[in-house]
Amino acid sequence: MTAATLVILGASGDLTKRLLMPALYRLHALGLTPDLRIVGYAMEPWSRAHFEQHIHEALQAFAMDFKPAQWNRFRRQLDYVGGELKADQLVALKGKLSPATMFYLALPPPLFGVAATALGEAGFSESPRGGWRRLVVEKPFGTDLASAEALRGQMHTYWEEEQILRIDHFLGKETTQNLMVFRFANRFLEPIWNAQNIAQVQITYAETLGVEQRAAYYDKAGALRDMLQNHLMQLFSLTAMEPPSSWDAEVLRDHKVEVLRSVTPITAKTINKHAVRGQYRAGKLGRKKMIGYRNEPGVKRGSDTETFAALRLEVDNWRWRGVPFYLRSGKRLASNYSEIAVQFREVPGPIPHAVHAGNNWMIFRIRPVERMDLLVTAKQPGVKLAGRPVTLTAPYATPNDREFSAYEQLLVDALGGDRSNFLRFDEVEWAWRVLSPVLRAWEKGAPNFYPAGSEGPDTQARLLDLGHDWRPIALDGDG
Ligand code: BG6
């Protein structure tokens, strides 16, 4: 990697402390960013030494493997400038930039546009000869289609689309990237990855976490905006996309957008067949009593924000017509359980005695462990020709593998200029287009309650085709 500078705007904030710095520290420790200079920028009039101290404490708390000797090397990469998000103050950064410079907006969403403009006004968006300028920004990208388009307009005043790297941290997860490798590097899969052979797909991201300290943001966002519009839509497009002709970032993203464009539009009339929302009320997680969402600190009294959302999407193309894709995510559910589960259709011929039909599933497990399971039927030992379910399991990583966190992965990609794992604006746009009718419908009415620690609202069953069941989320990993 060439010598580069990373400027973090919002360097005194939570994202910097909890996620960015620990990732940068590890990359440095692994020798992957030896020449990277990291300049923090925030409102606080801190000295460089004060910033160092702040990061030192953050790393002690959040870095995976903190070592004083390593810290002493890492700290030399750090620098700090205090100021507001105004061009005449940002210019103080000028002497600290290198030809290759990336600006990371670790800021609250309302400041994304403001910061992008101020950086442009300061002259920082123009790539110098032989170098580059990039801008990294993380979801949420607007709160609906109109606000996403407005934000895009604001960002494009000074920045080209190719310079903007939109982060969806799920694209940095190993399991997500494995979807592409597994689907397209194994010959046996592609001929059966279609409606003739697949009956349904379920994508679940279940969390035991509640709203925590984030009510100010979450109560306005809700599960559909927070998880489905971005993370689950990405998992969905990677599961359903056509094989790309090359691993070029533009080709890959073209194919993902194509999936979103092929989704049968949800309408006001069909909404109940396609979307369900829920909100947790008081309940129990294990033995621990949990309060209901409406009683969480910072949540508006009588709030109708959904903490659970489930969708049924249909992809109207040759490959997928007739296969429901069920997506769901929720807070305060029974366990931290996440997977992409693909069920194959039943065999057309007679099956041996005592074989349970319809039990072929390919499961990409994300949590609690990352691994792949293929659920099949094999002979039950004994004198009878009978079958029983067997799971072929492939652990995702071996003890010798070096794994990277999503932020480590994405920072390496961003600094290396690989845009494959970042969202192009049309991906954001089409995800909003698919969901706009749901957002509109949910402006009225109320979510269905579910007890904290449960599987979500019972009403989610109405999205399913006859013969389909939601897979349980409270499994210990073997179901
Ligand atoms: C974030 C959401 O984008 O993703 C959170 O805002 C959610 O609400 C989180 O908890 C889940 O991702 P991870 O990687 O922390 O499991």
Side-chain angles (χ1 to χ4, degrees), residues 139 169-170 173 205 207 214 226-227 231 331 367:
K139 68 132 236 207
H169 81 279
F170 269 45
K173 284 184 192 271
Y205 208 84
E207 301 183 279
R214 303 165 71 217
D226 185 49
M227 293 296 291
H231 307 323
K331 301 265 182 213
R367 297 197 303 180

Side-chain angles (χ1 to χ4, degrees), residues 150-202:
L151 175 62
R152 176 203 192 205
Q154 230 177 341
M155 299 193 95
H156 279 202
T157 313
Y158 287 100
W159 299 84
E160 302 290 330
E161 180 64 27
E162 294 72 43
Q163 293 178 287
I164 303 173
L165 298 165
R166 294 183 190 82
I167 288 196
D168 179 318
H169 81 279
F170 269 45
L171 290 183
K173 284 184 192 271
E174 295 278 10
T175 324
T176 312
Q177 300 193 356
N178 180 46
L179 262 177
M180 287 183 274
V181 176
F182 193 76
R183 274 198 61 196
F184 301 125
N186 292 300
R187 180 71 196 232
F188 76 93
L189 211 58
E190 175 53 24
I192 55 169
W193 206 252
N194 52 40
Q196 284 75 52
N197 297 286
I198 288 176
Q200 60 163 323
V201 178
Q202 295 192 13

Side-chain angles (χ1 to χ4, degrees), residues 101-345:
T101 294
M102 185 159 94
F103 296 91
Y104 198 117
L105 307 187
L107 296 165
L111 298 179
F112 291 167
V114 177
T117 307
L119 286 167
E121 285 168 357
F124 292 160
S125 58
E126 279 163 43
S127 302
R129 196 177 266 266
W132 45 258
R133 292 281 188 266
R134 294 181 191 135
L135 185 67
V136 183
V137 56
E138 196 160 340
K139 68 132 236 207
F141 309 114
T143 53
D144 55 16
L145 181 58
S147 56
E149 279 170 343
L151 175 62
R152 176 203 192 205
Q154 230 177 341
M155 299 193 95
H156 279 202
T157 313
Y158 287 100
W159 299 84
E160 302 290 330
E161 180 64 27
E162 294 72 43
Q163 293 178 287
I164 303 173
L165 298 165
R166 294 183 190 82
I167 288 196
D168 179 318
H169 81 279
F170 269 45
L171 290 183
K173 284 184 192 271
E174 295 278 10
T175 324
T176 312
Q177 300 193 356
N178 180 46
L179 262 177
M180 287 183 274
V181 176
F182 193 76
R183 274 198 61 196
F184 301 125
N186 292 300
R187 180 71 196 232
F188 76 93
L189 211 58
E190 175 53 24
I192 55 169
W193 206 252
N194 52 40
Q196 284 75 52
N197 297 286
I198 288 176
Q200 60 163 323
V201 178
Q202 295 192 13
I203 303 178
T204 297
Y205 208 84
E207 301 183 279
T208 56
L209 276 182
V211 66
E212 313 303 308
Q213 322 311 327
R214 303 165 71 217
Y217 151 76
Y218 194 88
D219 202 36
K220 290 209 182 78
L224 194 70
R225 289 186 174 92
D226 185 49
M227 293 296 291
L228 281 280
Q229 191 272 344
N230 33 68
H231 307 323
L232 267 65
M233 281 294 187
Q234 283 297 319
L235 298 179
F236 161 63
S237 15
L238 288 170
T239 308
M241 71 185 241
E242 293 301 309
S245 55
S246 82
W247 289 105
D248 175 83
E250 299 314 320
V251 175
L252 183 66
R253 296 183 296 180
D254 287 347
H255 281 65
K256 288 200 291 168
V257 172
E258 186 64 22
V259 173
L260 299 175
R261 296 182 74 134
S262 311
V263 172
T264 307
I266 301 172
T267 63
K269 269 204 184 129
T270 61
I271 198 98
N272 284 338
K273 206 180 125 202
H274 287 282
V276 164
R277 60 181 153 159
Q279 187 189 78
Y280 65 84
R281 54 178 163 74
K284 268 186 171 178
L285 245 175
R287 290 220 199 112
K288 213 165 159 211
K289 277 196 183 154
M290 297 288 165
I291 57 169
Y293 177 74
R294 289 182 179 177
N295 293 326
E296 298 273 17
V299 169
K300 205 173 73 214
R301 248 165 199 273
S303 165
D304 279 331
T305 299
E306 81 283 358
T307 59
F308 174 99
L311 292 176
R312 172 207 172 92
L313 299 180
E314 286 154 15
V315 184
D316 195 12
N317 65 15
W318 278 57
R319 186 186 288 270
W320 292 118
R321 184 181 284 182
V323 181
F325 284 78
Y326 306 116
L327 278 57
R328 65 180 170 160
S329 181
K331 301 265 182 213
R332 276 280 189 271
L333 293 174
S335 66
N336 284 317
Y337 189 81
S338 308
E339 63 177 24
I340 298 156
V342 177
Q343 187 186 33
F344 293 93
R345 294 192 189 279

